[in-house]
Amino acid sequence: MQAKLKVSRYDPETMGQGQQRWDEFELDVHPNATVLDALIQIREEVDGTLALRCACRASICGSCGMRVNGDAKLVCKSRIADVGEEGATIVVEPMGNQAVIKDLVVTLDTFFDKVRQVDPYLQPDSEPEQGEYVASDESMVNLLTAMNCIMCGACVSDCTVLEVDEAFIGPAALAKAWRFVEDPRDDQRDARLEELNDVEGGIWDCTRCFKCVEVCPKDVAPMDRIMEMRDMAIEAGNTNTSGYRHTESFNKSVKKHGRLDEARLAVESAGYTNVPRLIDLAEIGVKSVLKGKMPPIVPHKADEKEKITRIFEKVESERGS
Amino acid sequence: MKFAFYPGCVARGAGPELFDSAVAVMEKLGIEWVELTGASCTGAGVLQEKDQKLGDILNIRTLAMAEQLGLPVMTICSTCQGVMAQADRRIRRDADYLEEINGYLAEEGLSYSGNTTVKHLLWVLVEDIGVETLKKTFVKELSGVNLAPFYGCYIVRPSDALGFDENPERQTSLETVIEAVGGNVIDFPGKTACCGFPILLINQRNSLRMVANHTGTASELGADAMVTPCPLCHLNLDGYQPKARRQNKRGKADLPIIHLPQLLGLAMGIDSKTLGLGKHLVNTRDIVRKVDSISVAS
């Protein structure tokens, strides 16, 4: 089978940081070949200077994360026949949001700095009674999602928040944080949640864009873990964020009217005492009114809002809140 | 072709021009519709943060209402599309869960059995109407008009909830429609990224950086306008673009952001007032003039 690859190249000895060159290769590969097989074939048969990182070739080690046709993938897990139309050129680039060392190899320093930031180790209050901490299977099985993480960096590569804000802790490290928040042997749950709630780049900065869920090769679904921690942080009494006010206001609006009341959501998320933000909102509000598109002061309502309110009340009473 | 129409909160609230343009366009397309006025907000992923089951009950309720009418649901919001599709996927994978959810709906005489679908107008165009039939509703060819697509996250991810395996054309549907109206597709990597809207009220700096990046990149590539099937993206990309551009020093001028039905309406020869093109915060005058200067095909 013929394969066409367009590969991003960067040589730190001859090129400035951030520069890039494209090399194209045409190869005869096995019908079941992966993108990694093709890259290795290029390195061994065509251009020995091509730098790439790989080890297990079986999607266990997490070394070969790269962008293929724009999305982060493990190239050892990506069959050429599956990544695009037959005969189409496959574009291979280094992962995003991380500095390139050479060609397809990125530094993982920032990745691991962020993982370290969440104290990725158990912090029990006391020594175990019998030399080891015992946890039931039932209390641990829940953690398997996050424990499947092989730290390949695919989620970090394609995170839309990290693209604009280096301070964001990011999907991989937040999924790791969740793993310890949920671990029954850890005694720092509330402190961890408070920190993740308060710190710059914490749980409220995720946009819920699903990129990390989509690109993760191990179904860790970091975004889902972040959303769970938002709820846990609120349950633990962290109500000092605009993220909390946003969620509460949204809930209140749909519960009462069946629909979203955009104007009130904006004001309540800002907080009634946040004067600069309210002035900012007023500016947009006035402009919108002048264009004839501001939502009415009386929020729009669903015809059957009482039925919707009843569902909210039923679920809330079952939840005991 | 008839649908249970679910316009979503924004089309019925802060973005009335989307509703008006959609109604005008549906008439030209011969789409019959009945609005689900008793349906709730989908929760937009925000309610689901706090309580996924509650969100699923509300969305399955909406689907059950459509099922009772014997109609498929049509949305004009990428976020509504995605959130309802995710709820639908969860109940299809778990019969016990569906039964539990139906338990909450029994009191109002509703029950869902999975016999309806949720489709964004964008998908209806390429799947149910078809490009050739769609083209017959156009009176103008927007040749020389450069249009950047911007999908909105929830109509592209998570892909396994969106039927891409069975309907791969959905993944390029917006480009297909831009080509159908005769425009040039300005392709850029940000087209499937986040617009920043979900964190606008939480971290405005980051949100506006996203707005500036996407609109700035599309402008630099020569776009005359950006087209989106998502009214939430529109709120951010249109409403906050001037501020985003000032703060991030990107681009020379603001880029008009056009709702999908407005683009169709322009090609159908519907006047810009009916399409609500004067209701945007970024002025659409230049793109409207450009289209006005194109003569109607005889």
Side-chain angles (χ1 to χ4, degrees):
Chain A
M1 185 175 82
Q2 283 295 112
K4 281 188 239 171
L5 282 87
K6 186 174 158 185
V7 180
S8 170
R9 306 296 302 268
Y10 164 69
D11 179 358
E13 291 182 5
T14 60
M15 296 162 81
Q17 184 73 39
Q19 283 187 319
Q20 177 186 40
R21 181 184 91 227
W22 292 100
D23 283 352
E24 296 197 28
F25 302 94
E26 277 196 59
L27 312 163
D28 191 29
V29 297
H30 187 276
N32 281 329
T34 62
V35 175
L36 178 60
D37 293 333
L39 291 170
I40 291 172
Q41 196 174 327
I42 291 170
R43 190 182 63 189
E44 291 183 353
E45 296 173 10
V46 188
D47 183 349
T49 68
L50 178 67
L52 60 118
R53 190 192 272 135
C54 66
C56 79
R57 305 188 192 191
S59 59
I60 293 166
C61 74
S63 300
C64 68
M66 294 171 207
R67 270 192 179 153
V68 179
N69 293 341
D71 295 322
K73 291 180 187 305
L74 293 178
V75 285
C76 71
K77 202 186 172 194
S78 308
R79 278 186 351 134
I80 287 172
D82 297 334
V83 294
E85 302 270 312
E86 197 181 333
T89 302
I90 297 166
V91 180
V92 186
E93 301 166 88
M95 289 196 291
N97 293 328
Q98 292 147 104
V100 182
I101 299 172
K102 187 170 189 279
D103 295 337
L104 300 169
V105 182
V106 296
T107 169
L108 290 170
D109 291 355
T110 47
F111 179 96
F112 284 106
D113 283 347
K114 288 179 188 300
V115 173
R116 281 183 209 103
Q117 190 186 339
V118 302
D119 298 335
Y121 41 83
L122 281 178
Q123 294 177 308
D125 282 345
S126 55
E127 291 289 311
E129 284 174 17
Q130 293 171 329
E132 63 181 352
Y133 295 96
V134 181
S136 67
D137 289 350
E138 297 74 44
S139 66
M140 294 297 286
V141 72
N142 178 38
L143 302 185
L144 283 177
T145 45
M147 287 163 86
N148 281 337
C149 175
I150 54 173
M151 302 197 149
C152 64
C155 59
V156 166
S157 161
D158 287 13
C159 173
T160 57
V161 178
L162 280 169
E163 208 170 281
V164 297
D165 186 4
E166 288 179 2
F168 184 42
I169 298 174
L174 286 171
K176 180 65 76 183
W178 175 91
R179 181 241 168 284
F180 288 98
V181 164
E182 280 289 83
D183 195 307
R185 301 164 297 175
D186 192 86
D187 289 314
Q188 293 301 311
R189 184 179 192 275
D190 286 356
R192 288 179 190 274
L193 287 170
E194 190 181 341
E195 170 70 12
L196 295 165
N197 179 76
D198 292 351
V199 72
E200 189 192 356
I203 49 177
W204 293 102
D205 278 346
C206 168
T207 65
R208 272 188 285 108
C209 77
F210 277 103
K211 272 269 188 182
C212 57
V213 177
E214 192 75 19
V215 300
C216 175
K218 292 288 170 184
D219 294 331
V220 171
M223 187 194 101
D224 293 349
R225 310 284 86 81
I226 298 168
M227 295 309 120
E228 285 174 40
M229 286 196 292
R230 285 184 179 177
D231 194 36
M232 289 179 205
I234 292 171
E235 295 287 320
N238 298 284
T239 55
N240 57 340
T241 59
S242 50
Y244 162 74
R245 292 191 293 273
H246 184 252
T247 307
E248 283 303 299
S249 177
F250 202 113
N251 256 277
K252 211 166 71 183
S253 171
V254 181
K255 181 178 176 181
K256 193 170 167 194
H257 308 301
R259 299 267 175 84
L260 182 58
D261 179 358
E262 295 102 334
R264 191 171 297 267
L265 177 71
V267 172
E268 290 187 350
S269 299
Y272 286 106
T273 55
N274 185 351
V275 175
R277 190 71 187 89
L278 292 175
I279 291 171
D280 182 63
L281 282 169
E283 188 193 326
I284 291 278
V286 169
K287 280 187 190 165
S288 301
V289 168
L290 292 175
K291 294 277 189 177
K293 64 176 278 170
M294 198 55 188
I297 302 301
V298 181
H300 49 114
K301 296 166 182 152
D303 280 354
E304 302 174 4
K305 62 189 171 64
E306 296 77 17
K307 293 177 182 170
I308 295 160
T309 306
R310 186 189 55 78
I311 291 173
F312 268 80
E313 284 168 350
K314 191 163 184 203
V315 173
E316 281 168 0
S317 71
E318 284 167 3
R319 202 168 53 203
S321 64
Chain B
M1 198 179 299
K2 190 170 180 179
F3 290 94
F5 185 36
Y6 183 91
C9 297
V10 176
R12 278 312 214 173
E17 73 281 3
L18 171 60
F19 185 83
D20 296 343
S21 57
V23 167
V25 161
M26 287 193 290
E27 192 186 332
K28 295 265 184 191
L29 290 168
I31 293 177
E32 292 180 84
W33 53 278
V34 48
E35 187 176 347
L36 293 171
T37 52
S40 69
C41 168
T42 64
V46 182
L47 281 186
Q48 284 77 358
E49 273 177 33
K50 196 177 158 75
D51 193 327
Q52 188 175 81
K53 188 176 88 179
L54 173 59
D56 287 346
I57 295 168
L58 297 178
N59 288 306
I60 297 306
R61 177 175 174 273
T62 302
L63 299 182
M65 293 167 100
E67 194 180 73
Q68 207 169 54
L69 294 170
L71 295 172
V73 178
M74 185 176 75
T75 73
I76 45 173
C77 170
S78 295
T79 307
C80 298
Q81 169 65 46
V83 175
M84 284 195 276
Q86 289 162 32
D88 195 41
R89 175 187 58 167
R90 278 190 284 274
I91 61 95
R92 283 175 195 277
R93 283 180 178 176
D94 187 344
D96 294 341
Y97 186 49
L98 174 60
E99 200 181 320
E100 183 190 349
I101 287 183
N102 275 333
Y104 290 89
L105 305 179
E107 197 172 306
E108 49 180 304
L110 286 172
S111 176
Y112 185 53
S113 51
N115 286 324
T116 193
T117 51
V118 192
K119 266 193 190 180
H120 194 290
L121 169 66
L122 177 63
W123 296 351
V124 171
L125 296 175
V126 296
E127 287 168 24
D128 299 85
I129 292 173
V131 174
E132 289 315 310
T133 309
L134 176 63
K135 278 182 174 173
K136 287 180 190 150
T137 66
F138 299 153
V139 298
K140 286 185 177 191
E141 188 175 344
L142 309 191
S143 54
V145 181
N146 297 322
L147 300 163
F150 197 90
Y151 278 88
C153 295
Y154 285 30
I155 203 166
V156 287
R157 290 179 298 273
S159 55
D160 63 348
L162 297 167
F164 289 165
D165 285 344
E166 305 80 39
N167 302 285
E169 69 284 351
R170 288 178 179 177
Q171 294 175 85
T172 49
S173 48
L174 194 48
E175 288 91 329
T176 303
V177 171
I178 291 172
E179 283 167 2
V181 300
N184 300 324
V185 175
I186 301 294
D187 200 5
F188 73 115
K191 70 183 176 188
T192 56
C194 179
C195 70
F197 184 72
I199 50 167
L200 175 67
L201 301 170
I202 298 169
N203 187 331
Q204 196 190 78
R205 185 199 56 189
N206 285 356
S207 182
L208 297 197
R209 282 179 182 167
M210 291 178 188
V211 172
N213 281 351
H214 302 319
T215 55
T217 304
S219 291
E220 284 154 20
L221 291 168
D224 296 312
M226 186 177 271
V227 184
T228 182
C230 183
L232 307 189
C233 295
H234 190 274
L235 282 177
N236 216 29
L237 297 169
D238 176 60
Y240 279 83
Q241 190 185 158
K243 186 171 185 186
R245 200 166 55 80
R246 277 200 309 274
Q247 268 182 12
N248 293 280
K249 300 181 175 57
R250 281 291 299 265
K252 286 195 278 292
D254 291 326
L255 180 70
I257 314 294
I258 308 288
H259 295 288
L260 171 71
Q262 290 176 327
L263 175 69
L264 300 170
L266 286 171
M268 290 168 174
I270 300 172
D271 67 282
S272 59
K273 191 155 187 279
T274 304
L275 297 174
L277 282 156
K279 290 186 173 174
H280 296 194
L281 294 197
V282 172
N283 206 309
T284 58
R285 187 183 48 231
D286 289 349
I287 178 89
V288 169
R289 266 191 206 147
K290 198 163 181 173
V291 174
D292 280 347
S293 72
I294 300 169
S295 53
V296 174
S298 52

